[in-house]
Amino acid sequence: MREDICDQISDQPDLDASDVEVKVQNGEVILSGTVRERRFKHQLEAVAERISGVIDVRNEIRLHREQQSEARTSSGLSSSERAATSTTGATASSATSIGATSPPETKNNESRRNAS
């Protein structure tokens, strides 16, 4: 049964299953590993279900998200963590800007009072 599944998978020219493992135990097929596109995950499950003798298919394949892992390694933060940091940073910058304009206004007000 495992051989039949693997043969059917390899007959699919547009299906990249190079990082997928197929296990069969008592009619249950377990698919694990990673694929680059969500459609591959579903295609693999469909191929396994079509094989004679398959009772159930457990699809444990995960979607490989290269962009997220690259983003995490290049900056040390995921995109959501960067968004949270930049929002926090913007708030801190705004607070600093507001604080920076206050003293000159105070000086100008004092100068005007002294000139009167």
Side-chain angles (χ1 to χ4, degrees):
M1 197 179 315
R2 182 182 180 282
E3 249 180 69
D4 291 341
I5 295 168
C6 292
D7 287 344
Q8 288 295 313
I9 290 171
S10 63
D11 287 346
Q12 308 288 319
D14 65 329
L15 182 58
D16 178 12
S18 55
D19 293 325
V20 174
E21 184 179 354
V22 175
K23 296 178 189 173
V24 178
Q25 185 176 17
N26 301 324
E28 181 183 40
V29 177
I30 302 167
L31 303 171
S32 60
T34 58
V35 292
R36 294 196 181 276
E37 296 181 34
R38 186 172 306 282
R39 68 183 175 100
F40 294 156
K41 177 179 178 171
H42 300 297
Q43 281 179 289
L44 288 162
E45 184 174 352
V47 167
E49 287 175 338
R50 287 193 301 255
I51 303 301
S52 177
V54 171
I55 298 168
D56 190 30
V57 177
R58 194 165 71 196
N59 192 338
E60 298 177 355
I61 296 172
R62 294 182 177 254
L63 189 61
H64 177 74
R65 299 186 185 254
E66 188 173 315
Q67 292 173 345
Q68 283 185 351
S69 61
E70 285 178 6
R72 182 173 289 281
T73 56
S74 66
S75 69
L77 298 173
S78 69
S79 56
S80 58
E81 290 169 329
R82 280 195 307 275
T85 302
S86 66
T87 302
T88 306
T91 304
S93 297
S94 299
T96 304
S97 298
I98 292 168
T101 57
S102 295
E105 289 174 10
T106 305
K107 283 184 179 179
N108 287 340
N109 289 341
E110 287 177 20
S111 298
R112 285 185 198 138
R113 275 186 253 153
N114 291 337
S116 313

